[in-house]
Amino acid sequence: MSVRTPPRLLELAGRSLLRDQALTMSTLEELPTELFPPLFMEAFSRRHCEALKLMVQAWPFHHLPLRPLIKMGCLETFQAVLYGLDALLTQGVSPLFSHRRWKLQVLDLQDVSENFWMVWSESMACGCFPNAMRNRKPVQDCPSMREQQPLTVFIDLWLQTRTLDEYLTCLLLWVKQRKDLLHLCCKKLRILGMPLHNIRNILKMVNLDCIQEVEVNCSWILPILTQFTPYLGQMRNLQRLDLSHVDVSHYVSTKQKEFVTQFSSQFLKLHYLQELYMNSVSFLEGHLDQLLSCLKTPLKILAITNCVLLESDLRHLSQCPSVSQLKTLDLRGVRLANVSLVPLQVLLEKVAGTLEYLDLDDCGIVDSQVSTILPALSRCFELTTFSFCGNPISMATLENLLCHTIRLNNLCLELYPAPRDSYDADGTLCRSRFAQLGAELMGRVRDLRHPKRILFCTDYCPDCGNRTFYGLNIDQRCC
């Protein structure tokens, strides 16, 4: 039988305080600052709505990070917080404590750790200010805040259903009715499936200059993409763009070219773009030069995955000034079997001084192509992760590849395919042969250098669709 931990004196005092509404009103003015977080958390979890309204008005901190508490309460408690904020928006001071200005400036609905409030409450009760609050970004981090607005609401928008959840619906209605009195700041926008007219209505309430990260992963047809594209150019502080599963291959080439021109032109306005992810995007084939020519700032991350590229696209990529300082290059699933890898060699030479992560999984690279990129690869001294899974190469080529990474002292993780010599004629991995080849290979590697972590992977399993990874010997296996 387990013994329950008795409630602390602080918790009992908080519960007693919340039970007496009149006492709450009369004592909040004199309540020690360190008691506000645990008392607020108690009021939210026990749904004391009237107490919440008063505590919001007396909140002694700059930030109110509400997101972690929403799961503890209900829509009514969320609304109580919003009602409590109305006094600030309409009067600028708390009606209960009119002799002092309200300290609260930010309602923070961004994602933070779920135990944030517990850590904060315990730290404040012990008389120390936790790092979690000390490291919160200041209001000035928002590039579009206007000084005359007393309140900023920070939120990450995930638009993934046809109808909004009740909390977001409630918030947006509240913001819409007070749009001239507060600033709604969204830094992360994720669109996973929603009618464009709904998205437009939401974006009208958000200053697009605030958005720093955008992910679009929905099967929009070309006309809808064309309508959404102009919004990108208004996100002038955008740092990360992630676009997935865009298939316009069934449209005539002239329509595709028009869209690529319009889409690429928005990049001319994005002076802070550092990360570009394009996954399963069909319009890049033969048009990559249009996109790259509009990039005006150096990228840190470029991920073009599961796309079809022509050799001319690779050549333009290797010549693009904006990729000369890449830290991450991800070309997973870009089929390179029948193209020259000279452009890739040129690109690796260009980024050798900065590249830390290189992923060439499932590119179909064969033995005769590998030697082209080896000299450039061996000079990528900053490389920490190299993944080459799914490329059908022999034992001899794999050994040569490992020998060329001998001087890459920063390599912490290397992922390679099991050599084709390990497979039977029907494509099944022969474990005994793989164990023998693996032992020989690792013996050779250890003679040359001391690897930190090397894993070898099989082809995708036709039953489960996964790969199996093996360590330095056949018994070290992980999924």
Side-chain angles (χ1 to χ4, degrees):
M1 181 176 178
S2 60
V3 179
R4 295 185 60 184
T5 303
R8 296 178 303 171
L9 184 60
L10 178 64
E11 295 172 346
L12 293 174
R15 293 173 188 175
S16 175
L17 191 64
L18 291 171
R19 278 195 296 267
D20 188 341
Q21 183 175 338
L23 183 62
T24 302
M25 290 181 179
S26 63
T27 57
L28 276 179
E29 175 82 311
E30 305 300 329
L31 190 70
T33 299
E34 61 268 18
L35 295 186
F36 267 84
L39 189 61
F40 189 90
M41 186 167 60
E42 183 78 11
F44 206 95
S45 62
R46 294 185 178 272
R47 304 182 181 182
H48 293 286
C49 293
E50 292 303 318
L52 282 173
K53 295 177 186 178
L54 300 176
M55 291 196 71
V56 169
Q57 294 172 20
W59 193 247
F61 303 105
H62 185 264
H63 268 73
L64 176 55
L66 195 63
R67 176 80 178 185
L69 293 183
I70 289 180
K71 292 181 180 179
M72 298 171 53
C74 61
L75 183 61
E76 187 179 2
T77 54
F78 182 65
Q79 289 174 324
V81 172
L82 299 183
Y83 294 151
L85 291 170
D86 279 333
L88 170 64
L89 300 179
T90 56
Q91 301 176 29
V93 296
S94 168
L96 294 177
F97 316 109
S98 56
H99 65 280
R100 70 180 187 191
R101 288 198 61 82
W102 209 345
K103 291 186 179 181
L104 180 61
Q105 296 182 35
V106 173
L107 175 63
D108 196 342
L109 297 172
Q110 299 175 111
D111 288 327
V112 294
S113 172
E114 291 188 1
N115 65 345
F116 176 89
W117 273 82
M118 189 65 68
V119 173
W120 187 20
S121 299
E122 291 178 355
S123 299
M124 292 297 288
C126 295
C128 59
F129 199 63
N131 290 332
M133 283 304 296
R134 187 181 294 114
N135 295 332
R136 296 298 292 167
K137 293 182 179 180
V139 177
Q140 289 76 9
D141 188 50
C142 173
S144 303
M145 274 196 59
R146 291 170 286 187
E147 293 181 359
Q148 67 268 28
Q149 292 173 319
L151 183 70
T152 297
V153 179
F154 284 101
I155 187 171
D156 296 331
L157 286 174
W158 284 33
L159 309 181
Q160 54 186 340
T161 57
R162 299 192 66 84
T163 57
L164 299 175
D165 68 69
E166 58 182 4
Y167 289 96
L168 186 55
T169 300
C170 175
L171 175 70
L172 292 178
L173 179 60
W174 183 78
V175 169
K176 185 177 181 179
Q177 295 171 347
R178 298 155 181 81
K179 61 181 180 180
D180 296 327
L181 299 172
L182 56 81
H183 173 63
L184 182 62
C185 179
C186 171
K187 294 181 184 258
K188 297 180 182 180
L189 172 63
R190 190 178 185 190
I191 304 174
L192 301 182
M194 178 175 285
L196 185 60
H197 69 273
N198 288 350
I199 296 171
R200 281 174 167 171
N201 291 334
I202 294 172
L203 293 183
K204 287 178 182 177
M205 290 184 279
V206 177
N207 192 321
L208 299 182
D209 272 353
C210 297
I211 297 177
Q212 297 179 4
E213 299 182 17
V214 169
E215 178 184 350
V216 179
N217 187 354
C218 35
S219 302
W220 282 345
I221 60 176
L222 188 58
I224 295 180
L225 277 168
T226 303
Q227 293 178 57
F228 177 76
T229 295
Y231 287 102
L232 287 177
Q234 299 177 55
M235 302 174 188
R236 301 180 187 276
N237 287 286
L238 192 66
Q239 298 177 15
R240 171 187 170 124
L241 175 60
D242 190 333
L243 191 62
S244 297
H245 299 103
V246 177
D247 184 6
V248 298
S249 58
H250 56 286
Y251 288 89
V252 296
S253 58
T254 53
K255 287 289 185 182
Q256 291 187 50
K257 190 170 183 178
E258 289 174 6
F259 168 71
V260 174
T261 301
Q262 182 187 9
F263 178 78
S264 302
S265 65
Q266 305 306 313
F267 283 65
L268 294 170
K269 307 169 188 177
L270 305 180
H271 299 294
Y272 301 98
L273 188 66
Q274 297 180 1
E275 303 178 17
L276 181 58
Y277 302 81
M278 310 285 277
N279 177 52
S280 297
V281 175
S282 67
F283 63 77
L284 292 182
E285 183 181 2
H287 300 298
L288 191 58
D289 58 325
Q290 288 180 258
L291 177 66
L292 296 175
S293 63
C294 293
L295 293 173
K296 297 303 178 184
T297 54
L299 294 176
K300 292 183 179 179
I301 297 177
L302 177 62
I304 300 177
T305 57
N306 301 305
C307 298
V308 177
L309 296 181
L310 304 179
E311 189 171 326
S312 60
D313 293 320
L314 288 177
R315 186 168 60 253
H316 289 300
L317 177 60
S318 67
Q319 296 169 352
C320 176
S322 293
V323 301
S324 59
Q325 300 177 32
L326 286 180
K327 292 188 174 182
T328 293
L329 176 62
D330 188 349
L331 297 177
R332 278 173 296 137
V334 175
R335 302 301 293 175
L336 302 176
N338 297 315
V339 301
S340 169
L341 293 191
V342 171
L344 180 57
Q345 172 202 352
V346 174
L347 178 58
L348 291 178
E349 290 174 349
K350 179 180 292 188
V351 300
T354 58
L355 193 64
E356 298 175 1
Y357 181 99
L358 177 60
D359 194 330
L360 297 175
D361 284 357
D362 300 311
C363 291
I365 298 174
V366 297
D367 289 342
S368 59
Q369 296 174 293
V370 173
S371 59
T372 302
I373 63 172
L374 288 183
L377 179 63
S378 66
R379 290 193 288 272
C380 295
F381 296 114
E382 301 301 316
L383 202 63
T384 61
T385 302
F386 176 47
S387 191
F388 201 69
C389 301
N391 295 295
I393 59 176
S394 65
M395 175 70 171
T397 298
L398 185 54
E399 182 176 355
N400 191 21
L401 179 57
L402 285 163
C403 289
H404 274 79
T405 58
I406 185 174
R407 295 188 299 162
L408 304 184
N409 295 325
N410 289 320
L411 264 181
C412 297
L413 177 62
E414 303 168 67
L415 305 175
Y416 299 104
R420 301 318 298 173
D421 316 53
S422 308
Y423 291 86
D424 294 329
D426 61 357
T428 303
L429 181 72
C430 177
R431 290 172 59 89
S432 60
R433 193 179 309 131
F434 174 53
Q436 178 184 352
L437 293 175
E440 295 175 4
L441 187 61
M442 294 316 301
R444 174 65 173 151
V445 170
R446 286 195 179 96
D447 289 341
L448 298 172
R449 61 188 174 100
H450 299 286
K452 294 178 181 177
R453 192 181 187 204
I454 293 182
L455 296 176
F456 298 94
C457 70
T458 65
D459 292 340
Y460 289 110
C461 173
D463 297 324
C464 68
N466 294 323
R467 282 183 166 130
T468 301
F469 288 81
Y470 295 92
L472 301 184
N473 60 66
I474 197 67
D475 296 322
Q476 294 178 340
R477 173 177 173 175
C478 59
C479 297

